């Protein structure tokens, strides 16, 4: 193989590896350390309201993934994330592809959907 081509491929591979490592490190950091994210105060049981698109539902695990708009009470930008669901009866309203209004609280380090409107 031509040495110059090998050097270009090696540089491209190293750049890709660095990008992956950076992305992985950001994904593993606590939410309040992510850019634009300020965590709700621990134990804040005041519900915050938001609107989101249901992306995935795992009723057996008690979780829903929502692509939501900004949640001003938590100082969050729009994003997609997985929430715990407090009451299994709420899964009747959580249908993949449906846009819902929901309430979420921060309790014990977890973000929990408490109501779906």
């Amino acid at each position: 193989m031509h040495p110059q081509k090998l050097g270009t491929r090696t540089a491209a591979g190293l750049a890709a590896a660095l990008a992956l490592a950076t992305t992985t490190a950001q994904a593993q950091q606590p939410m309040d350390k992510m850019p634009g994210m300020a965590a709700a105060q621990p134990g804040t049981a005041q519900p915050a309201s938001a609107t989101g698109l249901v992306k995935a539902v795992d009723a057996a695990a008690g979780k829903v993934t929502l692509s939501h708009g900004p949640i001003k009470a938590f100082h969050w930008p729009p994003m997609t994330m997985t929430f715990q669901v407090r009451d299994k009866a709420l899964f009747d309203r959580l249908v993949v592809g449906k846009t819902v209004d929901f309430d979420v609280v921060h309790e014990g380090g977890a973000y929990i959907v408490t109501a779906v409107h």
Side-chain angles (χ1 to χ4, degrees), residues 37-65:
M37 297 291 295
Q41 294 300 313
T44 302
Q46 291 293 329
S49 297
T51 299
L53 176 66
V54 180
K55 302 294 272 182
V57 174
D58 186 347
K63 296 183 178 187
V64 62
T65 301

Side-chain angles (χ1 to χ4, degrees), residues 22-35:
T22 301
T23 301
T24 301
Q26 287 176 344
Q28 293 176 350
Q29 59 184 302
M31 287 183 64
D32 62 338
K33 303 294 183 211
M34 292 179 186

Side-chain angles (χ1 to χ4, degrees), residues 24-97:
T24 301
Q26 287 176 344
Q28 293 176 350
Q29 59 184 302
M31 287 183 64
D32 62 338
K33 303 294 183 211
M34 292 179 186
M37 297 291 295
Q41 294 300 313
T44 302
Q46 291 293 329
S49 297
T51 299
L53 176 66
V54 180
K55 302 294 272 182
V57 174
D58 186 347
K63 296 183 178 187
V64 62
T65 301
L66 296 164
S67 178
H68 62 77
I71 301 181
K72 292 180 183 183
F74 293 161
H75 307 286
W76 286 359
M79 70 180 117
T80 299
M81 64 182 288
T82 301
F83 295 92
Q84 294 178 7
V85 178
R86 172 159 292 151
D87 182 353
K88 295 228 182 223
L90 296 176
F91 284 106
D92 292 341
R93 297 185 203 135
L94 295 168
V95 178
V96 173

